Amino acid sequence: MSSWPMRTPVPYSGFHLVFGGAGILAAIFLAWKLSRSTHPQVLPACGLILAVSEIYKQGFLYHIVNGGQYDWWYFPFQLCSIPMYLCLLLPFMKPRMSCRCVKAVHTFLQDFALLGGVMALAEPSGLMHPYLVLTLHGFIWHFILIFIGLYCALPVWADKACLNSRIRCPFSAGVLRLPPSSMWHPILMEMPICSTSAHITPMGRLSFIRLP
């Protein structure tokens, strides 16, 4: 493995400020650029990149850092690891699933991927190691988290989940738009109708009838 040693950087050193600033700017630019049109493969691709890099990191820690012993402290189930799993899960969400599920994933990524990336880079002590590969991995991982959060947060993404679901539905009847009302949940203000008929009950609830 590429176990190149390095002097462990310190927070707010030149390495941290220059490399961190450049990575954040790159993440912002790519998120803005790619969010201008629909790219359903972007988030799964990010998940795949994170997964491959995490496998390499686990092997590096096991063989090089810990001498053949596994340190459960580095098990990838922390706040900054969850976006990897969610991005890998997105392609397996079936078209018939409500866009509320997809929107929930995007909302989580928008909030917690961005939060995790920013906070880790603001206090990067845990990202800096005496090995170049581990240090680069920690920084690049959180650059990708910032990209994911911004990509999901930009306004253009707001209706992409429902748009993709509507495109995949062969009998889509369009998008149902309801007038604002305090009795209706905001998620019902705009939602796709696939092979269904819908009506509003007297209590303001939305009912669906499956068409043959």
Side-chain angles (χ1 to χ4, degrees):
M1 291 190 181
S2 49
S3 55
W4 299 306
M6 67 176 298
R7 176 185 295 179
T8 305
V10 296
Y12 301 102
S13 62
F15 175 85
H16 174 208
L17 296 178
V18 174
F19 186 55
I24 291 173
L25 290 177
I28 294 172
F29 174 76
L30 288 175
W32 171 78
K33 190 74 173 178
L34 292 176
S35 67
R36 300 176 66 184
S37 58
T38 303
H39 297 283
Q41 71 276 14
V42 168
L43 294 179
C46 289
L48 183 60
I49 293 171
L50 292 176
V52 172
S53 66
E54 182 62 28
I55 292 173
Y56 181 87
K57 172 190 171 183
Q58 294 295 324
F60 190 98
L61 291 170
Y62 180 81
H63 290 286
I64 304 300
V65 177
N66 297 320
Q69 295 183 345
Y70 189 76
D71 187 351
W72 286 95
W73 172 261
Y74 292 102
F75 184 79
F77 198 71
Q78 304 170 4
L79 178 62
C80 293
S81 303
I82 296 177
M84 173 183 66
Y85 300 110
L86 293 179
C87 289
L88 292 174
L89 182 65
L90 281 174
F92 299 98
M93 290 188 175
K94 297 180 180 179
R96 66 189 307 176
M97 294 179 65
S98 170
C99 70
R100 295 178 64 179
C101 298
V102 180
K103 280 191 173 181
V105 173
H106 292 156
T107 301
F108 183 92
L109 293 174
Q110 164 189 317
D111 295 338
F112 291 99
L114 183 59
L115 175 66
V118 170
M119 295 305 295
L121 292 172
E123 207 299 296
S125 299
L127 310 181
M128 297 175 172
H129 304 274
Y131 296 98
L132 178 62
V133 172
L134 287 183
T135 302
L136 292 178
H137 174 276
F139 275 83
I140 294 174
W141 182 284
H142 292 89
F143 295 155
I144 295 176
L145 293 191
I146 292 176
F147 165 80
I148 292 173
L150 291 175
Y151 182 74
C152 293
L154 289 174
V156 182
W157 182 255
D159 293 326
K160 284 182 181 178
C162 288
L163 177 61
N164 292 337
S165 178
R166 182 177 60 182
I167 291 174
R168 290 192 297 263
C169 179
F171 303 104
S172 176
V175 174
L176 176 67
R177 299 179 185 273
L178 303 178
S181 171
S182 59
M183 294 186 297
W184 299 330
H185 193 279
I187 199 67
L188 297 180
M189 293 300 102
E190 180 176 336
M191 59 191 306
I193 306 174
C194 291
S195 302
T196 58
S197 174
H199 67 277
I200 305 299
T201 65
M203 296 302 294
R205 293 186 177 183
L206 186 64
S207 298
F208 289 95
I209 303 174
R210 172 67 63 177
L211 297 178

